[in-house]
Amino acid sequence: MTQKDSVDQFKILREIMDKFLKERDWKAFHTPKNIAMSIAIESSELMELFQWNNPTNDEVIKDKELLEKVRDELADVMIYSISMASSLNIDLYASIKQKMLKNSVRFPEKNK
Amino acid sequence: MTQKDSVDQFKILREIMDKFLKERDWKAFHTPKNIAMSIAIESSELMELFQWNNPTNDEVIKDKELLEKVRDELADVMIYSISMASSLNIDLYASIKQKMLKNSVRFPEKNK
Amino acid sequence: MTQKDSVDQFKILREIMDKFLKERDWKAFHTPKNIAMSIAIESSELMELFQWNNPTNDEVIKDKELLEKVRDELADVMIYSISMASSLNIDLYASIKQKMLKNSVRFPEKNK
Amino acid sequence: MTQKDSVDQFKILREIMDKFLKERDWKAFHTPKNIAMSIAIESSELMELFQWNNPTNDEVIKDKELLEKVRDELADVMIYSISMASSLNIDLYASIKQKMLKNSVRFPEKNK
């Protein structure tokens, strides 16, 4: 078994997403403009969980109810992002790695 | 080789992200509130690419300059989302699959 | 009666807002960061009303239920904006007029 | 001189806005969907000013450069909000006062 045969998580998620949209005839609604709006809307719902407070990471981890909400909203942001990438034939995994590399060059390490 | 040994893309991205933040002493800035804001800000920059127009997916694919910008902004949304998931010990891949399943139940197929 | 004595709508709104916050001891929560987040959250709720559709202005005007929601969300955006301006001693009315003037210079008229 | 003759700031701003759009033939772009997106985009730019820090109101007031940016972004949020209200024949001043009244009922004072 080579690495190519192994689990490609982003491919699996893209396939689940495409199947979901096709079964519901929702492909037509997933225009770039609508999905960009949807990502923004979901990210705002995530942000709303921290509107009036400023918990540490540990405090969120201990607050099971809040953590579950964060998990849910974060998943919604990701789902629309994966849908957009799929519709535009963008390789999301490669894009993220490439952008991280770009960021590493743009923001050099402190002690180097 | 079992599936467990195979490529775990989300784990790889999380490790790149954690290393990047650690090398720059930026962990302290990545509070849930700040990262939720950052995801919203990046998603707004993605949305800005479609503020006054409404191209089809094919039109975006053909416009290489626009596609590159979409790719970049989408990666930024994902990078902050992965950072938040990492800080909160959230298994993003499992969360997305679980939310998709929830959506499948919530929005039944048309012909079933 | 001179113009100076006449109705200053922004001043009236600012006074209503300040009184409201003071009576509830909420001033402390209205930090610039929190209010900027709140404006973004309310504007996302406004945007959600047009997430999957693209009505004309006339269609919104005729849809009394939708129009009421738009009215409400728009008011929320304004209320937080007025609160931020008040906390920072910003003269909102003057700022808007000044920015419109700046825009007029930045984007010259077509036939001039 | 009666109150009706006095300065109606929101009317003045609406008129400046309408004239600006008409002179540039931009009315057609100001659909409810596009303007809702624009309000969200401008509010995100305002939020970006507080992405990694959390200054007090006084600190912002003393930082003239930051204050000027806040003033500018806040004006942009207001300008698009006024444009939307104008296109939909919404009386913004009345809407805000009405929503504040609604809020007063929804969130009663502490000591009452």
Side-chain angles (χ1 to χ4, degrees), chain C residues 3 6-10 23-24 33 43 50-51 53 71-72 76 78 98-99 102 107 109, chain D residues 3 6-10 23-24 33 43 50 53 71-72 76 78 95 98-99 102 107 109:
Chain C
Q3 192 169 311
S6 70
V7 178
D8 182 335
Q9 295 174 321
F10 278 94
E23 285 170 355
R24 280 154 194 81
K33 189 183 186 103
S43 71
F50 306 105
Q51 186 174 9
N53 51 14
R71 212 174 168 268
D72 240 53
D76 281 333
M78 300 292 284
Q98 198 178 318
K99 191 65 194 282
K102 218 193 263 187
F107 306 105
E109 285 180 51
Chain D
Q3 191 169 311
S6 70
V7 176
D8 182 335
Q9 295 174 321
F10 278 93
E23 285 170 354
R24 280 153 194 81
K33 189 181 185 103
S43 71
F50 306 105
N53 51 15
R71 213 174 167 268
D72 239 53
D76 281 333
M78 299 292 284
S95 303
Q98 199 179 319
K99 191 65 195 279
K102 217 193 263 187
F107 305 105
E109 285 181 50

mmCIF file of all heavy atoms in Angstrom, chain C residues 3 6-10 23-24 33 43 50-51 53 71-72 76 78 98-99 102 107 109, chain D residues 3 6-10 23-24 33 43 50 53 71-72 76 78 95 98-99 102 107 109:
data_model
loop_
_atom_site.group_PDB
_atom_site.id
_atom_site.type_symbol
_atom_site.label_atom_id
_atom_site.label_comp_id
_atom_site.label_asym_id
_atom_site.label_seq_id
_atom_site.Cartn_x
_atom_site.Cartn_y
_atom_site.Cartn_z
ATOM 1 N N GLN C 3 -30.855 77.505 14.429
ATOM 2 C CA GLN C 3 -30.634 76.123 14.028
ATOM 3 C C GLN C 3 -29.951 75.326 15.142
ATOM 4 O O GLN C 3 -30.164 74.141 15.294
ATOM 5 C CB GLN C 3 -29.781 76.109 12.755
ATOM 6 C CG GLN C 3 -29.741 74.730 12.109
ATOM 7 C CD GLN C 3 -29.127 74.774 10.729
ATOM 8 O OE1 GLN C 3 -29.486 75.601 9.897
ATOM 9 N NE2 GLN C 3 -28.186 73.894 10.491
ATOM 10 N N SER C 6 -32.227 73.604 17.355
ATOM 11 C CA SER C 6 -33.147 72.667 16.726
ATOM 12 C C SER C 6 -32.756 71.214 17.002
ATOM 13 O O SER C 6 -31.775 70.930 17.685
ATOM 14 C CB SER C 6 -33.176 72.907 15.229
ATOM 15 O OG SER C 6 -31.948 72.510 14.671
ATOM 16 N N VAL C 7 -33.521 70.311 16.461
ATOM 17 C CA VAL C 7 -33.364 68.886 16.740
ATOM 18 C C VAL C 7 -32.011 68.356 16.265
ATOM 19 O O VAL C 7 -31.648 68.495 15.108
ATOM 20 C CB VAL C 7 -34.485 68.085 16.054
ATOM 21 C CG1 VAL C 7 -34.282 66.589 16.299
ATOM 22 C CG2 VAL C 7 -35.840 68.517 16.559
ATOM 23 N N ASP C 8 -31.285 67.764 17.173
ATOM 24 C CA ASP C 8 -30.026 67.100 16.834
ATOM 25 C C ASP C 8 -30.279 65.605 17.051
ATOM 26 O O ASP C 8 -30.119 65.077 18.145
ATOM 27 C CB ASP C 8 -28.913 67.622 17.753
ATOM 28 C CG ASP C 8 -27.557 67.022 17.422
ATOM 29 O OD1 ASP C 8 -27.518 65.912 16.858
ATOM 30 O OD2 ASP C 8 -26.545 67.656 17.744
ATOM 31 N N GLN C 9 -30.657 64.919 15.951
ATOM 32 C CA GLN C 9 -31.097 63.521 16.081
ATOM 33 C C GLN C 9 -30.018 62.604 16.642
ATOM 34 O O GLN C 9 -30.303 61.740 17.480
ATOM 35 C CB GLN C 9 -31.563 63.008 14.713
ATOM 36 C CG GLN C 9 -32.801 63.732 14.217
ATOM 37 C CD GLN C 9 -33.168 63.310 12.807
ATOM 38 O OE1 GLN C 9 -32.297 63.113 11.979
ATOM 39 N NE2 GLN C 9 -34.452 63.188 12.547
ATOM 40 N N PHE C 10 -28.771 62.801 16.193
ATOM 41 C CA PHE C 10 -27.704 61.926 16.685
ATOM 42 C C PHE C 10 -27.463 62.141 18.178
ATOM 43 O O PHE C 10 -27.156 61.194 18.900
ATOM 44 C CB PHE C 10 -26.415 62.143 15.873
ATOM 45 C CG PHE C 10 -26.399 61.385 14.583
ATOM 46 C CD1 PHE C 10 -26.822 61.971 13.400
ATOM 47 C CD2 PHE C 10 -25.984 60.060 14.550
ATOM 48 C CE1 PHE C 10 -26.827 61.256 12.213
ATOM 49 C CE2 PHE C 10 -25.986 59.337 13.370
ATOM 50 C CZ PHE C 10 -26.407 59.938 12.188
ATOM 51 N N GLU C 23 -28.165 52.784 33.237
ATOM 52 C CA GLU C 23 -29.202 52.177 34.076
ATOM 53 C C GLU C 23 -28.987 50.678 34.299
ATOM 54 O O GLU C 23 -29.500 50.095 35.255
ATOM 55 C CB GLU C 23 -30.584 52.387 33.429
ATOM 56 C CG GLU C 23 -31.118 53.806 33.564
ATOM 57 C CD GLU C 23 -32.354 54.027 32.707
ATOM 58 O OE1 GLU C 23 -32.734 53.122 31.936
ATOM 59 O OE2 GLU C 23 -32.941 55.124 32.794
ATOM 60 N N ARG C 24 -28.267 50.040 33.380
ATOM 61 C CA ARG C 24 -28.046 48.591 33.481
ATOM 62 C C ARG C 24 -26.608 48.235 33.903
ATOM 63 O O ARG C 24 -26.244 47.062 33.925
ATOM 64 C CB ARG C 24 -28.372 47.943 32.120
ATOM 65 C CG ARG C 24 -29.872 47.755 31.931
ATOM 66 C CD ARG C 24 -30.277 47.743 30.493
ATOM 67 N NE ARG C 24 -31.732 47.890 30.390
ATOM 68 C CZ ARG C 24 -32.370 49.061 30.470
ATOM 69 N NH1 ARG C 24 -31.688 50.186 30.657
ATOM 70 N NH2 ARG C 24 -33.684 49.127 30.407
ATOM 71 N N LYS C 33 -13.312 46.832 21.487
ATOM 72 C CA LYS C 33 -13.223 45.500 20.883
ATOM 73 C C LYS C 33 -14.589 44.804 20.877
ATOM 74 O O LYS C 33 -15.036 44.302 19.851
ATOM 75 C CB LYS C 33 -12.204 44.656 21.666
ATOM 76 C CG LYS C 33 -11.841 43.313 21.029
ATOM 77 C CD LYS C 33 -10.870 42.531 21.921
ATOM 78 C CE LYS C 33 -10.381 41.266 21.268
ATOM 79 N NZ LYS C 33 -9.019 41.331 20.719
ATOM 80 N N SER C 43 -24.450 42.926 11.801
ATOM 81 C CA SER C 43 -24.439 43.084 10.340
ATOM 82 C C SER C 43 -24.493 41.716 9.664
ATOM 83 O O SER C 43 -25.050 41.584 8.561
ATOM 84 C CB SER C 43 -23.219 43.881 9.890
ATOM 85 O OG SER C 43 -22.052 43.132 10.039
ATOM 86 N N PHE C 50 -30.468 37.700 3.447
ATOM 87 C CA PHE C 50 -30.302 37.642 1.982
ATOM 88 C C PHE C 50 -29.306 36.555 1.577
ATOM 89 O O PHE C 50 -28.722 36.610 0.505
ATOM 90 C CB PHE C 50 -29.840 39.013 1.464
ATOM 91 C CG PHE C 50 -30.732 40.134 1.886
ATOM 92 C CD1 PHE C 50 -30.358 41.024 2.877
ATOM 93 C CD2 PHE C 50 -31.983 40.283 1.308
ATOM 94 C CE1 PHE C 50 -31.199 42.049 3.288
ATOM 95 C CE2 PHE C 50 -32.834 41.303 1.717
ATOM 96 C CZ PHE C 50 -32.435 42.193 2.702
ATOM 97 N N GLN C 51 -29.147 35.536 2.456
ATOM 98 C CA GLN C 51 -28.121 34.509 2.231
ATOM 99 C C GLN C 51 -28.361 33.696 0.955
ATOM 100 O O GLN C 51 -27.442 33.457 0.183
ATOM 101 C CB GLN C 51 -28.079 33.585 3.454
ATOM 102 C CG GLN C 51 -26.966 32.543 3.428
ATOM 103 C CD GLN C 51 -26.896 31.750 4.733
ATOM 104 O OE1 GLN C 51 -27.765 31.862 5.594
ATOM 105 N NE2 GLN C 51 -25.864 30.946 4.884
ATOM 106 N N ASN C 53 -31.052 34.259 -1.339
ATOM 107 C CA ASN C 53 -31.886 34.923 -2.347
ATOM 108 C C ASN C 53 -31.314 36.306 -2.657
ATOM 109 O O ASN C 53 -30.386 36.767 -2.008
ATOM 110 C CB ASN C 53 -33.328 35.042 -1.845
ATOM 111 C CG ASN C 53 -33.358 35.655 -0.458
ATOM 112 O OD1 ASN C 53 -32.367 36.219 0.003
ATOM 113 N ND2 ASN C 53 -34.476 35.551 0.211
ATOM 114 N N ARG C 71 -35.425 46.110 9.015
ATOM 115 C CA ARG C 71 -35.535 47.313 9.851
ATOM 116 C C ARG C 71 -34.913 47.070 11.233
ATOM 117 O O ARG C 71 -34.155 47.892 11.748
ATOM 118 C CB ARG C 71 -37.024 47.627 10.006
ATOM 119 C CG ARG C 71 -37.416 49.079 10.132
ATOM 120 C CD ARG C 71 -38.937 49.192 10.123
ATOM 121 N NE ARG C 71 -39.350 50.531 10.536
ATOM 122 C CZ ARG C 71 -39.625 50.876 11.791
ATOM 123 N NH1 ARG C 71 -39.552 49.988 12.748
ATOM 124 N NH2 ARG C 71 -39.963 52.129 12.075
ATOM 125 N N ASP C 72 -35.238 45.937 11.811
ATOM 126 C CA ASP C 72 -34.766 45.566 13.140
ATOM 127 C C ASP C 72 -33.245 45.348 13.177
ATOM 128 O O ASP C 72 -32.562 45.849 14.080
ATOM 129 C CB ASP C 72 -35.453 44.260 13.555
ATOM 130 C CG ASP C 72 -36.258 44.444 14.816
ATOM 131 O OD1 ASP C 72 -37.082 45.366 14.845
ATOM 132 O OD2 ASP C 72 -36.044 43.662 15.762
ATOM 133 N N ASP C 76 -30.144 47.538 14.931
ATOM 134 C CA ASP C 76 -29.125 46.980 15.832
ATOM 135 C C ASP C 76 -27.720 47.409 15.415
ATOM 136 O O ASP C 76 -26.888 47.743 16.263
ATOM 137 C CB ASP C 76 -29.215 45.445 15.854
ATOM 138 C CG ASP C 76 -30.346 44.950 16.735
ATOM 139 O OD1 ASP C 76 -30.704 45.672 17.682
ATOM 140 O OD2 ASP C 76 -30.862 43.851 16.479
ATOM 141 N N MET C 78 -26.956 50.107 13.831
ATOM 142 C CA MET C 78 -26.847 51.530 14.145
ATOM 143 C C MET C 78 -26.671 51.772 15.634
ATOM 144 O O MET C 78 -25.895 52.637 16.044
ATOM 145 C CB MET C 78 -28.109 52.262 13.663
ATOM 146 C CG MET C 78 -28.365 52.166 12.182
ATOM 147 S SD MET C 78 -27.142 53.061 11.186
ATOM 148 C CE MET C 78 -27.709 54.746 11.451
ATOM 149 N N GLN C 98 -18.188 64.027 6.354
ATOM 150 C CA GLN C 98 -16.787 64.160 5.935
ATOM 151 C C GLN C 98 -16.363 62.987 5.050
ATOM 152 O O GLN C 98 -15.693 63.170 4.036
ATOM 153 C CB GLN C 98 -15.918 64.220 7.194
ATOM 154 C CG GLN C 98 -14.531 64.782 6.979
ATOM 155 C CD GLN C 98 -13.757 64.843 8.294
ATOM 156 O OE1 GLN C 98 -14.313 65.218 9.319
ATOM 157 N NE2 GLN C 98 -12.506 64.460 8.264
ATOM 158 N N LYS C 99 -16.768 61.769 5.425
ATOM 159 C CA LYS C 99 -16.397 60.579 4.649
ATOM 160 C C LYS C 99 -17.086 60.595 3.277
ATOM 161 O O LYS C 99 -16.501 60.192 2.276
ATOM 162 C CB LYS C 99 -16.774 59.305 5.417
ATOM 163 C CG LYS C 99 -16.201 58.006 4.826
ATOM 164 C CD LYS C 99 -14.684 57.981 4.902
ATOM 165 C CE LYS C 99 -14.036 56.906 4.045
ATOM 166 N NZ LYS C 99 -14.079 55.572 4.595
ATOM 167 N N LYS C 102 -15.087 62.849 1.161
ATOM 168 C CA LYS C 102 -13.875 62.137 0.755
ATOM 169 C C LYS C 102 -14.192 61.183 -0.407
ATOM 170 O O LYS C 102 -13.450 61.099 -1.386
ATOM 171 C CB LYS C 102 -13.364 61.341 1.965
ATOM 172 C CG LYS C 102 -11.852 61.298 2.104
ATOM 173 C CD LYS C 102 -11.401 60.251 3.109
ATOM 174 C CE LYS C 102 -11.120 60.798 4.481
ATOM 175 N NZ LYS C 102 -10.512 59.780 5.398
ATOM 176 N N PHE C 107 -14.036 59.070 -5.906
ATOM 177 C CA PHE C 107 -14.762 58.515 -7.052
ATOM 178 C C PHE C 107 -15.446 59.651 -7.812
ATOM 179 O O PHE C 107 -16.593 59.992 -7.515
ATOM 180 C CB PHE C 107 -15.815 57.508 -6.583
ATOM 181 C CG PHE C 107 -15.269 56.420 -5.713
ATOM 182 C CD1 PHE C 107 -15.489 56.425 -4.341
ATOM 183 C CD2 PHE C 107 -14.526 55.383 -6.264
ATOM 184 C CE1 PHE C 107 -14.990 55.412 -3.529
ATOM 185 C CE2 PHE C 107 -14.025 54.369 -5.460
ATOM 186 C CZ PHE C 107 -14.249 54.387 -4.091
ATOM 187 N N GLU C 109 -17.442 61.955 -10.540
ATOM 188 C CA GLU C 109 -18.643 61.686 -11.343
ATOM 189 C C GLU C 109 -18.255 61.258 -12.744
ATOM 190 O O GLU C 109 -17.228 61.661 -13.268
ATOM 191 C CB GLU C 109 -19.495 62.957 -11.440
ATOM 192 C CG GLU C 109 -20.241 63.281 -10.173
ATOM 193 C CD GLU C 109 -21.067 64.546 -10.361
ATOM 194 O OE1 GLU C 109 -21.802 64.606 -11.354
ATOM 195 O OE2 GLU C 109 -20.939 65.455 -9.530
ATOM 196 N N GLN D 3 -40.709 72.444 15.161
ATOM 197 C CA GLN D 3 -39.704 71.370 15.145
ATOM 198 C C GLN D 3 -39.612 70.730 13.764
ATOM 199 O O GLN D 3 -38.559 70.270 13.350
ATOM 200 C CB GLN D 3 -40.087 70.330 16.209
ATOM 201 C CG GLN D 3 -38.972 69.337 16.449
ATOM 202 C CD GLN D 3 -39.240 68.491 17.671
ATOM 203 O OE1 GLN D 3 -39.567 68.994 18.743
ATOM 204 N NE2 GLN D 3 -39.086 67.198 17.524
ATOM 205 N N SER D 6 -37.039 72.138 11.564
ATOM 206 C CA SER D 6 -35.660 72.104 12.059
ATOM 207 C C SER D 6 -34.826 71.048 11.349
ATOM 208 O O SER D 6 -35.295 70.312 10.497
ATOM 209 C CB SER D 6 -35.670 71.856 13.561
ATOM 210 O OG SER D 6 -36.087 70.534 13.795
ATOM 211 N N VAL D 7 -33.568 70.963 11.726
ATOM 212 C CA VAL D 7 -32.613 70.084 11.055
ATOM 213 C C VAL D 7 -32.989 68.609 11.219
ATOM 214 O O VAL D 7 -33.184 68.129 12.330
ATOM 215 C CB VAL D 7 -31.199 70.309 11.633
ATOM 216 C CG1 VAL D 7 -30.219 69.334 10.997
ATOM 217 C CG2 VAL D 7 -30.763 71.730 11.414
ATOM 218 N N ASP D 8 -33.103 67.930 10.110
ATOM 219 C CA ASP D 8 -33.349 66.493 10.117
ATOM 220 C C ASP D 8 -32.070 65.845 9.581
ATOM 221 O O ASP D 8 -31.879 65.678 8.386
ATOM 222 C CB ASP D 8 -34.552 66.177 9.227
ATOM 223 C CG ASP D 8 -34.904 64.697 9.228
ATOM 224 O OD1 ASP D 8 -34.011 63.870 9.498
ATOM 225 O OD2 ASP D 8 -36.062 64.371 8.964
ATOM 226 N N GLN D 9 -31.174 65.490 10.517
ATOM 227 C CA GLN D 9 -29.840 65.016 10.113
ATOM 228 C C GLN D 9 -29.896 63.776 9.232
ATOM 229 O O GLN D 9 -29.158 63.660 8.259
ATOM 230 C CB GLN D 9 -28.985 64.741 11.360
ATOM 231 C CG GLN D 9 -28.692 66.004 12.154
ATOM 232 C CD GLN D 9 -27.970 65.708 13.446
ATOM 233 O OE1 GLN D 9 -28.276 64.722 14.122
ATOM 234 N NE2 GLN D 9 -27.023 66.553 13.804
ATOM 235 N N PHE D 10 -30.760 62.839 9.577
ATOM 236 C CA PHE D 10 -30.836 61.608 8.783
ATOM 237 C C PHE D 10 -31.328 61.889 7.364
ATOM 238 O O PHE D 10 -30.873 61.268 6.410
ATOM 239 C CB PHE D 10 -31.727 60.567 9.469
ATOM 240 C CG PHE D 10 -31.007 59.791 10.533
ATOM 241 C CD1 PHE D 10 -31.044 60.196 11.863
ATOM 242 C CD2 PHE D 10 -30.262 58.679 10.199
ATOM 243 C CE1 PHE D 10 -30.363 59.486 12.840
ATOM 244 C CE2 PHE D 10 -29.575 57.962 11.170
ATOM 245 C CZ PHE D 10 -29.626 58.368 12.495
ATOM 246 N N GLU D 23 -25.373 60.356 -9.294
ATOM 247 C CA GLU D 23 -24.352 60.985 -10.141
ATOM 248 C C GLU D 23 -23.377 59.964 -10.739
ATOM 249 O O GLU D 23 -22.716 60.229 -11.733
ATOM 250 C CB GLU D 23 -23.557 62.012 -9.321
ATOM 251 C CG GLU D 23 -24.313 63.302 -9.061
ATOM 252 C CD GLU D 23 -23.591 64.183 -8.037
ATOM 253 O OE1 GLU D 23 -22.575 63.733 -7.455
ATOM 254 O OE2 GLU D 23 -24.053 65.312 -7.815
ATOM 255 N N ARG D 24 -23.248 58.823 -10.083
ATOM 256 C CA ARG D 24 -22.298 57.795 -10.537
ATOM 257 C C ARG D 24 -22.984 56.591 -11.185
ATOM 258 O O ARG D 24 -22.320 55.607 -11.528
ATOM 259 C CB ARG D 24 -21.439 57.340 -9.342
ATOM 260 C CG ARG D 24 -20.313 58.315 -9.040
ATOM 261 C CD ARG D 24 -19.881 58.289 -7.606
ATOM 262 N NE ARG D 24 -19.053 59.458 -7.327
ATOM 263 C CZ ARG D 24 -19.557 60.678 -7.068
ATOM 264 N NH1 ARG D 24 -20.856 60.876 -7.047
ATOM 265 N NH2 ARG D 24 -18.732 61.691 -6.844
ATOM 266 N N LYS D 33 -28.944 42.672 -1.040
ATOM 267 C CA LYS D 33 -27.915 41.656 -0.773
ATOM 268 C C LYS D 33 -26.518 42.283 -0.789
ATOM 269 O O LYS D 33 -25.732 42.080 0.141
ATOM 270 C CB LYS D 33 -27.997 40.560 -1.845
ATOM 271 C CG LYS D 33 -27.130 39.330 -1.581
ATOM 272 C CD LYS D 33 -27.282 38.325 -2.739
ATOM 273 C CE LYS D 33 -26.544 37.030 -2.463
ATOM 274 N NZ LYS D 33 -27.419 35.919 -2.044
ATOM 275 N N SER D 43 -17.812 46.556 8.634
ATOM 276 C CA SER D 43 -17.770 46.301 10.083
ATOM 277 C C SER D 43 -16.609 45.364 10.427
ATOM 278 O O SER D 43 -16.046 45.453 11.518
ATOM 279 C CB SER D 43 -19.103 45.740 10.573
ATOM 280 O OG SER D 43 -19.279 44.421 10.130
ATOM 281 N N PHE D 50 -9.058 46.057 16.162
ATOM 282 C CA PHE D 50 -8.943 45.548 17.533
ATOM 283 C C PHE D 50 -8.704 44.038 17.562
ATOM 284 O O PHE D 50 -8.991 43.372 18.551
ATOM 285 C CB PHE D 50 -10.227 45.889 18.307
ATOM 286 C CG PHE D 50 -10.562 47.349 18.272
ATOM 287 C CD1 PHE D 50 -11.596 47.828 17.481
ATOM 288 C CD2 PHE D 50 -9.809 48.257 18.992
ATOM 289 C CE1 PHE D 50 -11.900 49.174 17.430
ATOM 290 C CE2 PHE D 50 -10.092 49.620 18.942
ATOM 291 C CZ PHE D 50 -11.145 50.082 18.158
ATOM 292 N N ASN D 53 -5.516 43.310 20.034
ATOM 293 C CA ASN D 53 -5.382 44.102 21.260
ATOM 294 C C ASN D 53 -6.767 44.425 21.826
ATOM 295 O O ASN D 53 -7.782 44.136 21.208
ATOM 296 C CB ASN D 53 -4.611 45.396 20.964
ATOM 297 C CG ASN D 53 -5.228 46.119 19.769
ATOM 298 O OD1 ASN D 53 -6.354 45.819 19.362
ATOM 299 N ND2 ASN D 53 -4.501 47.052 19.211
ATOM 300 N N ARG D 71 -12.960 56.217 13.304
ATOM 301 C CA ARG D 71 -13.905 57.220 12.798
ATOM 302 C C ARG D 71 -14.272 56.925 11.340
ATOM 303 O O ARG D 71 -15.438 56.941 10.956
ATOM 304 C CB ARG D 71 -13.208 58.584 12.877
ATOM 305 C CG ARG D 71 -14.083 59.777 13.154
ATOM 306 C CD ARG D 71 -13.209 61.012 13.344
ATOM 307 N NE ARG D 71 -14.018 62.230 13.318
ATOM 308 C CZ ARG D 71 -14.266 62.933 12.236
ATOM 309 N NH1 ARG D 71 -13.773 62.581 11.085
ATOM 310 N NH2 ARG D 71 -15.046 64.010 12.297
ATOM 311 N N ASP D 72 -13.253 56.609 10.557
ATOM 312 C CA ASP D 72 -13.425 56.341 9.134
ATOM 313 C C ASP D 72 -14.224 55.057 8.870
ATOM 314 O O ASP D 72 -15.144 55.041 8.052
ATOM 315 C CB ASP D 72 -12.034 56.175 8.500
ATOM 316 C CG ASP D 72 -11.800 57.192 7.406
ATOM 317 O OD1 ASP D 72 -11.989 58.390 7.692
ATOM 318 O OD2 ASP D 72 -11.445 56.788 6.285
ATOM 319 N N ASP D 76 -18.061 54.411 7.344
ATOM 320 C CA ASP D 76 -18.392 53.509 6.233
ATOM 321 C C ASP D 76 -19.565 52.591 6.580
ATOM 322 O O ASP D 76 -20.444 52.350 5.750
ATOM 323 C CB ASP D 76 -17.158 52.664 5.859
ATOM 324 C CG ASP D 76 -16.161 53.444 5.018
ATOM 325 O OD1 ASP D 76 -16.586 54.385 4.317
ATOM 326 O OD2 ASP D 76 -14.962 53.123 5.059
ATOM 327 N N MET D 78 -21.934 53.262 8.655
ATOM 328 C CA MET D 78 -23.119 54.107 8.683
ATOM 329 C C MET D 78 -23.589 54.470 7.271
ATOM 330 O O MET D 78 -24.784 54.492 6.993
ATOM 331 C CB MET D 78 -22.819 55.400 9.460
ATOM 332 C CG MET D 78 -22.421 55.185 10.897
ATOM 333 S SD MET D 78 -23.767 54.546 11.926
ATOM 334 C CE MET D 78 -24.732 56.053 12.147
ATOM 335 N N SER D 95 -36.686 53.977 13.485
ATOM 336 C CA SER D 95 -36.395 52.553 13.727
ATOM 337 C C SER D 95 -35.472 52.367 14.924
ATOM 338 O O SER D 95 -35.666 51.464 15.745
ATOM 339 C CB SER D 95 -35.725 51.925 12.505
ATOM 340 O OG SER D 95 -36.526 52.071 11.367
ATOM 341 N N GLN D 98 -37.309 53.162 18.161
ATOM 342 C CA GLN D 98 -38.248 52.075 18.443
ATOM 343 C C GLN D 98 -37.529 50.838 18.973
ATOM 344 O O GLN D 98 -37.993 50.206 19.925
ATOM 345 C CB GLN D 98 -38.984 51.744 17.152
ATOM 346 C CG GLN D 98 -40.279 50.975 17.334
ATOM 347 C CD GLN D 98 -40.955 50.724 15.986
ATOM 348 O OE1 GLN D 98 -40.987 51.608 15.120
ATOM 349 N NE2 GLN D 98 -41.473 49.530 15.806
ATOM 350 N N LYS D 99 -36.379 50.514 18.365
ATOM 351 C CA LYS D 99 -35.614 49.332 18.801
ATOM 352 C C LYS D 99 -35.041 49.539 20.199
ATOM 353 O O LYS D 99 -34.991 48.604 21.004
ATOM 354 C CB LYS D 99 -34.489 49.026 17.794
ATOM 355 C CG LYS D 99 -33.793 47.684 17.993
ATOM 356 C CD LYS D 99 -34.730 46.495 17.750
ATOM 357 C CE LYS D 99 -34.216 45.170 18.266
ATOM 358 N NZ LYS D 99 -33.267 44.519 17.396
ATOM 359 N N LYS D 102 -37.794 48.869 22.557
ATOM 360 C CA LYS D 102 -37.974 47.413 22.637
ATOM 361 C C LYS D 102 -36.916 46.812 23.573
ATOM 362 O O LYS D 102 -37.218 45.966 24.413
ATOM 363 C CB LYS D 102 -37.834 46.833 21.225
ATOM 364 C CG LYS D 102 -38.764 45.664 20.916
ATOM 365 C CD LYS D 102 -38.354 44.943 19.647
ATOM 366 C CE LYS D 102 -39.120 45.381 18.407
ATOM 367 N NZ LYS D 102 -38.796 44.534 17.220
ATOM 368 N N PHE D 107 -34.775 44.143 28.358
ATOM 369 C CA PHE D 107 -33.757 44.090 29.418
ATOM 370 C C PHE D 107 -34.111 45.122 30.486
ATOM 371 O O PHE D 107 -33.656 46.262 30.420
ATOM 372 C CB PHE D 107 -32.374 44.394 28.846
ATOM 373 C CG PHE D 107 -31.974 43.517 27.699
ATOM 374 C CD1 PHE D 107 -31.983 44.009 26.403
ATOM 375 C CD2 PHE D 107 -31.600 42.196 27.904
ATOM 376 C CE1 PHE D 107 -31.609 43.200 25.330
ATOM 377 C CE2 PHE D 107 -31.229 41.383 26.849
ATOM 378 C CZ PHE D 107 -31.239 41.884 25.554
ATOM 379 N N GLU D 109 -34.291 47.409 33.878
ATOM 380 C CA GLU D 109 -33.246 47.974 34.725
ATOM 381 C C GLU D 109 -33.007 47.095 35.941
ATOM 382 O O GLU D 109 -33.920 46.427 36.425
ATOM 383 C CB GLU D 109 -33.668 49.357 35.220
ATOM 384 C CG GLU D 109 -33.582 50.421 34.150
ATOM 385 C CD GLU D 109 -33.999 51.761 34.729
ATOM 386 O OE1 GLU D 109 -33.471 52.131 35.793
ATOM 387 O OE2 GLU D 109 -34.865 52.407 34.128
#
